[in-house]
Amino acid sequence: MADTKAKTHPDRVVLYLALVMLAIGAFFSLTTTVFLSFANLFNLLESYAVTGIFSMGLLVVLVTGGIDISFLATASVVQYLTVLVCRQVGIDDVLFLGLTVAIVIGACIGMGIGSLIYYLDIVSIIVTISMQSVLFGLLMHASGGRSIYNLPAWMFRYGGTHSFKIGDTAYVMGVGPLVLLAMAILTWFILNHTTLGRQLYAFGGNPEAARRLGVNLGRLHLFAYGYLGAMAAVGGITQVFRMEEVVPSSLVGRELDVLAAAVLGGASLMGGRGGVLGTILGVFLIGVLKNGLNLYGVSSYFSDVVIGLVIILAVIATHYGKRKETEVGFV
Amino acid sequence: MGKNKTAETSRRLPERPPETPPARKRDSLVVLKHVSKRFGGNYALRDINLELQKGEVHCLCGANGCGKSTLAKIISGAHRPDSGASIEIGDNRYDELTPQESRRYGVQVIYQDLALFPNLSVYENIAFEYNLGHTRLYRRERLRRKAREVLDELAFSINLDERVENLSIAQRQQVAICRALVAEAKMVIMDEPTASLTRVEVNHLLDTVRYLKSKDITVVFVNHRLNEVMEVSDRVTVMRDGVLVGTYPAKDMDEERLSELITGRKIDFTLKGEAWATGKVVLEVKDLSRAGQYQDVSFSLQEGEILGVCGLLGSGRTELALSLFGLTRPDHGEIRVDGRPVTLRNHRQAIQAGISYLSEDRLSLGLILKQSVADNMVLTIMERLKNCLGLLSREKRRQTVAEWVKRLDVKVNDSEEPITTLSGGNQQKVVLAKWILTNPKILILDSPTVGVDVGAKSSIYQLIHQLAREHIAMVLISDEVPEVYYNCDRILHFRQGRVAGEYRPDSIGIDTLSEVIGNG
Amino acid sequence: MSNRSNFWVQLPAIGLPALLAASLAIFGLLLPGRFWSVGAFESMAFQMPELGLLTLAMFLPFVSAGFNLAIIVTANITGIFMAWLWVNMVPSDAGTGLQIFWVALGLLGAMLIACLIGVLIGSLVAYVGVHPILTTLGFMTLIKGVGIFITRGAPVSGMPPVVQFLGTGSFLGVPMPMVVFILTALAMLVLMNRTSFGKYVYMSGSNINATYFSGIGTHRVIIGIYVISSLICVLAGLVMNARFNSARMGYGDSYLLLTVLAIIMGGADPLGGFGKVGGLVLALFVLQIISTGLNLFGVSQHVSLAMWGAVLIFVLAAKFFNRRYYLPWAQRRAAGPDSCSV
């Protein structure tokens, strides 16, 4: 007799999320005039694209059962270093090279973290708390906390907003949402259609079995954390595109938004679960909520409280009933 | 009451020399020489020499802790042997194997814990190794086809897309076997495969083994019971305390001879002899039911009585025990202790009512492995170790631990050392002490001698008898029929959540009882 | 010979005291006259307790294989509550008796708030099974949001004299904050070593399911852990109020890493189940010494922060090498040559 209750099917999580988001969206559409406008929706997409990009990287790490809260520090460091390197080496208007520099820096930091976790057998939360301090501390010291406005040309060219037309009306939007789309598709492909991606899930589901079956665990860790580092880099650069400046301290502190989005979307801190679609929905669920509250004129201080509450309630909802009857540990 | 079954007392038998293998000479697949393995200060394996032939079915037998699982893991590469070992496989000789190397030679292991990925689907698990080693594109269609092929070949019917965590244990085992075959195994090592299967499922498994044999695949059973696999085995290797006792043709082997070889002495199988039931009913269970777990269970238990509960895994025995211990709540029915009905809302109420439960899963639920022996032992009665200020008294703790270490003859050097330093049998004694200290009226023992060496087993049985003498009622849940037969006053047979029958050892033979219970 | 009494196996325990002695010596030599001075030691003794109290607050959840990322915001918000109460209710000419009354009332109110927070966090972890990292991260955001919303980010300043004394005065030569810390540390010591609750915390940290199956009410233990943790945060908030003469969201933000560092340096196992208050206190002294030393050297805050992160990684790396390479060697030596004990 099987002793397991039917577990929540991952597709069902996505369905619930979509429904909730539609409900909230409908609510805001009906009660405000502005919500359902293209301008607002593009703004929404634009505002949360960077969070979405970060969440793609974090999802990959969560799937392996680890956690990393240093990615925003990594993103900030990448922003700063990329500008420096581009200036040093003379990369001014070549997007490809500039991006490569950024991604390489991010991936290297990520792989460094992955190595510490795997080869030194240290719990991921502690490594990443430490790395956040190391990265952020060094960054603030080196930059003196000052913003950089003098960016290489490639950042300006693709940054800012671009106009386009739908019908007769002109709209503006940055490249953020497109980058998010690309990263989402890439992550989805890796997680679902490459062996390495499936091994990530396998390891998250049963690390000991993965070891016994000869999965290359070192490579797996390097990839997962390296990928998060790369996504941090992409997100960081996208943020620079948006803001058209590098502000060293602007990103750090919003880790929970990204983590909550992934967890709402079905990922678990215990590993083995989660998917791209759910995570994206999680990001935009939070985004829609914040956007709606904003349209209502709720102060941003208070909307933080609301979001915090919603996240806690949502986490309760996704965790409730997942434990076996006689278990008391974490789910 | 009760007749004496076997009159012989324990004595050491001279070891019989290993006999030559049977007539048909097969080629060797794996030859192990001088394999030793040490974990910390303990030797798990000492100088093992073993030859495994192509296409044979070989049984590795021995008591828990004798090293057979470790040996299997050395062949599969999950463990590395100490220096000086030699493993000949294929045409090469190695000092040690990695998992990748052993898999390349076609060695597949089905571990006791199956090592499946619960969050992945059936076909992904089965075809997992297909892509291992290449960062290739994941061709789902090809994987599904391969998985379907193997499933059909073995005549299993499982939904390819179902997540493994939703499958029953027998189905998961089928998935594990399929996985071994997809990888084109030359040798399949099965570690205790029959532990959780019903008779019907065991037969199905043996059919599969015969099929593998027909394809010239070597099958190695690691098992501590022979009767199930005797039908298909060619040779049996017996291990004891890390040493290889000998390799024998299966047809020359029977349960009794095997026990002798495993333990080194003749087992004293005597019926309990005395009964200590006082007649006062201390536990009554009436029509207890819980949807999906057990139905209409009724029985009564007297002081000093030992009630056996036998049945295959999944028959509801443990689920019933959990409800008696207050961890789960029955849907309807009544529990009475000392004549008064009790509603057990949680396990603390159960302990207060006098019911204690020794879990079948010693390693994850019975013990806290990293903590000390002393801490484990007194965990249940911490409140009693307080001094007048309400603080824990070191002296009382020390005394309690020392007293019970002595009473139960627990072999331990230092009670403050982690409990992992103790052998399985001694660990179990500590768990027992932990529960006896709660002064239970009713003690439920769930598979108390699993993973316990024979010496400790018999001292645990003696302890159970002693407790009965002291008027403690006991429920002994076990799937080893001899254990229940020789120690209990009455035996309840559980099947699919219901009480299928009640037997008394003095009115039924052990073989008949084994038949009844083994048939699920 | 048991491992516990063997010299080689126990040798690594000398690490922390050695580090203490070394840092005292090194900084004393490098900063002659400035380090080994009454002023420097006094300022260390005033500074350490707030970190010390926060570390004690993190200690309980850590040992239970959990985490409390919300300790600092809890300290902040209870501090803000107390500050608000005192600033608004205590007349500026109030006598000592009246001040003490209000201080006690404020403390009581703050502890009630802390209890509420602790119960909520503990319930989520115990009854729903949400991972403590996620739970406390969520509460951290929530509480921070509430705090900033209430104060608009501004500090609440102007503590009554009694409270100021708590921040700047001494008792028998020992700075008041240190008195608070020492008392709390002693209480924690008794709690962990001599009460059944403490034992349950250790056991839950190693294996909560087995502890549950042994008849322990682990739900209550978990809630107790987070309630006590939050209550200690109140004390930290009180000390910070006293020392800075104001309360604000964000005070002590950089302490989070240091609390984890102190606990791990003090000998706790990152996986839970083990940890000693004594080691923790010793580690705190070492950290404070190094921190003050660096400060006197003029090292910037940011570099300090980065350095602490590196130190934590280094400590964990050292533990790894100890576990993987040194300890088995020492144990083999302890067991004696050619030992074949089974």
Side-chain angles (χ1 to χ4, degrees):
Chain A
M1 235 179 271
D3 60 351
T4 52
K5 299 198 276 198
K7 305 268 169 105
T8 321
H9 202 262
D11 292 342
R12 249 200 263 159
V13 171
V14 172
L15 187 64
Y16 287 154
L17 263 185
L19 285 176
V20 170
M21 197 161 88
L22 280 175
I24 297 182
F27 175 73
F28 284 131
S29 320
L30 293 174
T31 54
T32 65
T33 48
V34 185
F35 182 77
L36 208 51
S37 64
F38 273 125
N40 187 47
L41 290 178
F42 285 142
N43 182 32
L44 181 63
L45 268 178
E46 167 113 50
S47 309
Y48 288 91
V50 172
T51 307
I53 296 172
F54 289 140
S55 69
M56 291 294 99
L58 187 59
L59 171 66
V60 168
V61 165
L62 286 175
V63 161
T64 65
I67 184 171
D68 185 340
I69 58 165
S70 67
F71 55 93
L72 290 180
T74 305
S76 306
V77 168
V78 167
Q79 288 176 339
Y80 184 76
L81 282 182
T82 304
V83 172
L84 279 187
V85 169
C86 285
R87 270 195 216 148
Q88 260 318 71
V89 176
I91 301 173
D92 198 49
D93 206 4
V94 187
L95 173 71
F96 174 71
L97 282 180
L99 271 182
T100 309
V101 167
I103 292 180
V104 164
I105 297 176
C108 285
I109 296 177
M111 289 198 285
I113 293 177
S115 315
L116 286 174
I117 292 174
Y118 180 67
Y119 292 108
L120 289 185
D121 198 20
I122 309 177
V123 175
S124 55
I125 179 75
I126 297 184
V127 170
T128 60
I129 287 180
S130 311
M131 281 309 287
Q132 189 194 41
S133 300
V134 172
L135 290 169
F136 192 63
L138 287 177
L139 175 66
M140 291 304 278
H141 176 75
S143 70
R146 289 186 297 270
S147 308
I148 304 180
Y149 305 97
N150 185 11
L151 304 175
W154 61 270
M155 289 187 174
F156 282 125
R157 180 197 289 274
Y158 295 96
T161 51
H162 305 264
S163 25
F164 54 95
K165 276 192 175 183
I166 296 186
D168 294 325
T169 352
Y171 297 100
V172 285
M173 196 169 73
V175 293
L178 288 174
V179 177
L180 173 60
L181 185 63
M183 293 302 107
I185 293 178
L186 175 67
T187 310
W188 174 83
F189 184 79
I190 291 177
L191 286 179
N192 288 298
H193 289 280
T194 62
T195 320
L196 186 57
R198 298 316 291 173
Q199 283 177 10
L200 292 173
Y201 278 103
F203 179 76
N206 189 341
E208 179 58 27
R211 187 190 74 87
R212 287 195 210 150
L213 259 52
V215 171
N216 189 336
L217 298 183
R219 190 179 69 152
L220 200 144
H221 277 85
L222 286 180
F223 175 75
Y225 290 91
Y227 191 78
L228 175 55
M231 285 297 111
V234 172
I237 297 297
T238 310
Q239 174 77 342
V240 176
F241 283 174
R242 272 187 81 205
M243 304 279 110
E244 294 186 296
E245 61 173 345
V246 171
V247 185
S249 55
S250 67
L251 285 174
V252 173
R254 312 236 51 134
E255 290 84 357
L256 178 67
D257 281 356
V258 182
L259 179 59
V263 170
L264 284 178
S268 157
L269 266 87
M270 307 310 280
R273 294 175 200 282
V276 169
L277 189 54
T279 305
I280 299 283
L281 281 176
V283 170
F284 285 105
L285 180 62
I286 297 177
V288 163
L289 255 176
K290 278 201 193 171
N291 180 267
L293 285 175
N294 198 7
L295 290 177
Y296 260 102
V298 175
S299 84
S300 70
Y301 292 135
F302 192 69
S303 76
D304 270 351
V305 176
V306 173
I307 299 298
L309 260 176
V310 167
I311 290 177
I312 290 180
L313 288 173
V315 164
I316 296 179
T318 48
H319 281 74
Y320 196 76
K322 279 235 187 108
R323 268 206 301 218
K324 246 170 66 168
E325 196 162 16
T326 49
E327 266 178 19
V328 289
F330 315 138
V331 116
Chain B
M1 92 178 221
K3 311 172 267 210
N4 262 355
K5 285 276 168 169
T6 322
E8 293 189 43
T9 48
S10 304
R11 55 184 165 87
R12 288 202 161 265
L13 281 187
E15 236 84 82
R16 295 183 209 183
E19 324 218 344
T20 48
R24 179 185 156 190
K25 182 79 174 76
R26 295 194 177 101
D27 302 319
S28 301
L29 187 65
V30 175
V31 180
L32 299 170
K33 291 193 180 138
H34 304 298
V35 169
S36 301
K37 178 72 184 166
R38 196 162 56 168
F39 289 111
N42 297 334
Y43 269 98
L45 293 175
R46 281 181 233 248
D47 200 42
I48 306 285
N49 298 292
L50 179 64
E51 182 221 3
L52 296 167
Q53 297 168 346
K54 284 188 190 152
E56 72 162 333
V57 179
H58 197 114
C59 188
L60 269 185
C61 256
N64 288 91
C66 71
K68 50 193 199 303
S69 282
T70 312
L71 187 61
K73 286 189 179 142
I74 286 188
I75 300 176
S76 76
H79 282 322
R80 313 284 158 85
D82 294 344
S83 59
S86 148
I87 306 176
E88 286 167 31
I89 186 167
D91 292 316
N92 299 321
R93 211 191 68 87
Y94 294 89
D95 292 334
E96 58 181 35
L97 286 176
T98 63
Q100 290 92 325
E101 279 163 353
S102 89
R103 272 207 329 282
R104 217 181 321 135
Y105 285 108
V107 175
Q108 287 289 326
V109 184
I110 299 173
Y111 293 98
Q112 205 171 350
D113 57 15
L114 298 180
L116 293 174
F117 301 113
N119 54 329
L120 297 183
S121 64
V122 166
Y123 77 87
E124 284 193 276
N125 268 281
I126 292 179
F128 187 76
E129 296 194 49
Y130 206 55
N131 279 337
L132 217 55
H134 317 280
T135 322
R136 258 196 258 150
L137 286 183
Y138 201 69
R139 302 262 171 70
R140 285 179 190 265
E141 268 321 299
R142 208 189 315 171
L143 297 178
R144 291 176 67 104
R145 239 184 306 130
K146 201 91 180 113
R148 177 93 273 149
E149 266 175 42
V150 178
L151 276 172
D152 290 339
E153 201 181 325
L154 294 173
F156 294 147
S157 55
I158 312 177
N159 179 5
L160 279 181
D161 296 301
E162 186 70 65
R163 294 175 117 194
V164 163
E165 61 194 351
N166 294 333
L167 298 179
S168 74
I169 298 201
Q171 286 176 315
R172 289 189 216 186
Q173 204 170 64
Q174 290 174 347
V175 172
I177 295 175
C178 289
R179 180 172 74 187
L181 284 202
V182 163
E184 279 161 18
K186 296 217 187 75
M187 174 156 80
V188 177
I189 305 176
M190 297 194 195
D191 197 344
E192 305 271 4
T194 57
S196 346
L197 300 183
T198 65
R199 182 79 225 169
V200 167
E201 287 160 347
V202 168
N203 286 336
H204 203 171
L205 176 69
L206 297 180
D207 286 337
T208 308
V209 172
R210 285 190 197 93
Y211 172 75
L212 292 177
K213 187 168 158 176
S214 72
K215 290 185 64 166
D216 224 25
I217 298 175
T218 309
V219 177
V220 177
F221 273 109
V222 176
N223 208 343
H224 71 278
R225 290 193 300 233
L226 182 62
N227 50 349
E228 294 146 341
V229 298
M230 201 148 53
E231 313 164 23
V232 277
S233 299
D234 295 317
R235 293 193 297 158
V236 176
T237 293
V238 178
M239 291 180 65
R240 191 200 316 152
D241 287 340
V243 171
L244 197 144
V245 172
T247 303
Y248 314 88
K251 61 178 167 53
D252 294 345
M253 196 55 75
D254 62 31
E255 185 81 47
E256 209 180 304
R257 178 146 182 249
L258 186 69
S259 299
E260 280 176 40
L261 288 166
I262 288 178
T263 64
R265 26 177 209 203
K266 222 157 163 53
I267 286 294
D268 188 1
F269 281 127
T270 49
L271 271 188
K272 201 155 59 68
E274 281 174 73
W276 300 287
T278 63
K280 172 165 178 259
V281 170
V282 74
L283 174 70
E284 260 178 276
V285 171
K286 244 198 201 159
D287 299 325
L288 214 61
S289 304
R290 193 152 201 269
Q293 292 184 354
Y294 53 86
Q295 296 283 97
D296 301 323
V297 174
S298 303
F299 63 87
S300 68
L301 191 60
Q302 298 173 17
E303 266 184 357
E305 194 180 8
I306 306 177
L307 177 69
V309 171
C310 229
L312 302 166
L313 202 82
S315 53
R317 336 165 301 198
T318 301
E319 287 79 3
L320 175 68
L322 291 177
S323 285
L324 288 175
F325 190 48
L327 286 175
T328 58
R329 253 172 305 299
D331 298 330
H332 44 259
E334 194 181 58
I335 303 176
R336 282 172 183 261
V337 175
D338 278 341
R340 272 166 313 140
V342 287
T343 348
L344 302 168
R345 265 186 283 274
N346 56 46
H347 51 356
R348 277 171 298 124
Q349 287 186 351
I351 295 180
Q352 271 163 10
I355 305 178
S356 289
Y357 171 63
L358 189 142
S359 171
E360 55 172 343
D361 190 347
R362 178 175 66 249
L363 293 176
S364 8
L365 296 176
L367 289 175
I368 300 173
L369 287 176
K370 283 187 183 172
Q371 301 282 349
S372 66
V373 173
D375 279 332
N376 269 286
M377 194 187 281
V378 299
L379 184 56
T380 43
I381 50 135
M382 296 238 85
E383 308 301 320
R384 292 207 320 241
L385 296 178
K386 295 185 174 171
N387 60 20
C388 46
L389 292 171
L391 299 176
L392 293 178
S393 155
R394 291 235 170 88
E395 188 52 33
K396 279 192 190 169
R397 179 184 129 114
R398 202 193 54 77
Q399 276 177 356
T400 311
V401 172
E403 180 193 332
W404 282 91
V405 162
K406 192 150 162 255
R407 265 173 95 164
L408 298 187
D409 192 29
V410 180
K411 297 196 180 36
V412 56
N413 287 330
D414 180 358
S415 306
E416 301 299 332
E417 291 275 323
I419 202 167
T420 42
T421 55
L422 262 52
S423 73
N426 285 309
Q427 285 177 350
Q428 191 69 308
K429 288 186 191 175
V430 172
V431 181
L432 267 168
K434 172 171 91 169
W435 287 114
I436 298 174
L437 277 165
T438 61
N439 288 332
K441 290 191 188 124
I442 301 146
L443 184 57
I444 307 175
L445 303 163
D446 200 342
S447 308
T449 60
V450 164
V452 168
D453 56 276
V454 167
K457 242 184 178 150
S458 71
S459 81
I460 289 179
Y461 294 149
Q462 277 167 22
L463 179 66
I464 293 177
H465 299 169
Q466 177 57 30
L467 291 173
R469 251 180 238 122
E470 293 170 13
H471 304 316
I472 296 179
M474 272 170 288
V475 178
L476 178 58
I477 304 176
S478 172
D479 48 36
E480 285 187 29
V481 179
E483 175 166 275
V484 171
Y485 187 78
Y486 291 114
N487 288 300
C488 299
D489 300 309
R490 284 183 298 143
I491 300 166
L492 290 181
H493 174 213
F494 257 71
R495 188 199 306 160
Q496 289 178 337
R498 287 172 191 275
V499 178
E502 185 178 314
Y503 307 93
R504 304 191 91 93
D506 56 356
S507 55
I508 186 174
I510 185 174
D511 295 317
T512 326
L513 186 61
S514 299
E515 252 328 287
V516 169
I517 291 178
N519 285 331
Chain C
M1 188 202 283
S2 106
N3 278 342
R4 282 192 318 142
S5 52
N6 178 260
F7 170 73
W8 288 107
V9 173
Q10 297 300 325
L11 185 59
I14 208 180
L16 201 54
L19 191 57
L20 178 67
S23 49
L24 278 173
I26 293 178
F27 281 115
L29 286 172
L30 291 177
L31 297 161
R34 292 167 67 199
F35 191 76
W36 278 88
S37 68
V38 174
F41 280 125
E42 217 180 36
S43 102
M44 279 193 255
F46 270 104
Q47 254 197 305
M48 195 265 257
E50 63 214 36
L51 170 64
L53 287 166
L54 287 173
T55 308
L56 287 173
M58 177 67 99
F59 181 65
L60 262 181
F62 195 88
V63 168
S64 74
F67 240 82
N68 189 351
L69 293 168
I71 44 174
I72 297 174
V73 298
T74 306
N76 288 155
I77 205 167
T78 49
I80 287 173
F81 167 78
M82 290 190 284
W84 171 87
L85 185 74
W86 297 329
V87 164
N88 287 313
M89 302 305 270
V90 181
S92 44
D93 57 350
T96 318
L98 189 60
Q99 288 180 45
I100 292 186
F101 166 73
W102 280 109
V103 168
L105 198 62
L107 262 178
L108 188 62
M111 292 205 165
L112 283 175
I113 297 176
C115 274
L116 177 66
I117 295 175
V119 166
L120 287 175
I121 295 178
S123 305
L124 247 70
V125 172
Y127 288 103
V128 183
V130 184
H131 201 285
I133 292 177
L134 195 55
T135 315
T136 53
L137 199 51
F139 270 91
M140 182 181 93
T141 309
L142 181 63
I143 296 173
K144 193 190 281 194
V146 170
I148 295 196
F149 177 66
I150 297 178
T151 61
R152 295 284 184 270
V156 181
S157 316
M159 304 293 133
V162 161
V163 176
Q164 288 181 9
F165 173 71
L166 192 63
T168 54
S170 307
F171 178 72
L172 298 179
V174 181
M176 283 308 286
M178 186 57 91
V179 171
V180 175
F181 171 69
I182 290 178
L183 289 175
T184 315
L186 282 174
M188 182 64 94
L189 193 66
V190 170
L191 181 73
M192 294 312 280
N193 291 346
R194 303 301 297 267
T195 65
S196 52
F197 177 80
K199 255 309 165 215
Y200 296 154
V201 171
Y202 281 121
M203 301 305 242
S204 301
S206 279
N207 185 340
I208 197 171
N209 278 316
T211 310
Y212 181 64
F213 262 74
S214 300
I216 311 299
T218 50
H219 298 303
R220 295 199 298 196
V221 171
I222 300 261
I223 293 183
I225 288 172
Y226 288 95
V227 166
I228 295 178
S229 175
S230 304
L231 288 175
I232 299 179
C233 292
V234 171
L235 292 175
L238 174 66
V239 166
M240 285 199 284
N241 279 10
R243 289 212 337 116
F244 306 143
N245 197 29
S246 66
R248 190 171 153 261
M249 290 309 291
Y251 278 159
D253 261 350
S254 54
Y255 280 142
L256 187 67
L257 175 67
L258 285 171
T259 60
V260 176
L261 180 54
I263 295 176
I264 291 185
M265 274 172 75
D269 187 335
L271 298 172
F274 299 93
K276 292 231 167 297
V277 175
L280 188 159
V281 172
L282 198 57
L284 281 169
F285 279 116
V286 172
L287 290 180
Q288 184 60 57
I289 288 171
I290 297 179
S291 177
T292 303
L294 289 177
N295 215 356
L296 285 175
F297 257 114
V299 172
S300 88
Q301 285 280 56
H302 300 304
V303 173
S304 283
L305 184 65
M307 189 206 71
W308 291 126
V311 167
L312 181 51
I313 293 181
F314 177 75
V315 169
L316 288 166
K319 278 185 171 233
F320 166 76
F321 283 110
N322 181 39
R323 202 172 55 232
R324 183 65 70 87
Y325 298 107
Y326 178 77
L327 210 53
W329 173 83
Q331 277 173 345
R332 269 203 290 273
R333 271 193 76 123
D338 298 320
S339 69
C340 314
S341 52
V342 169

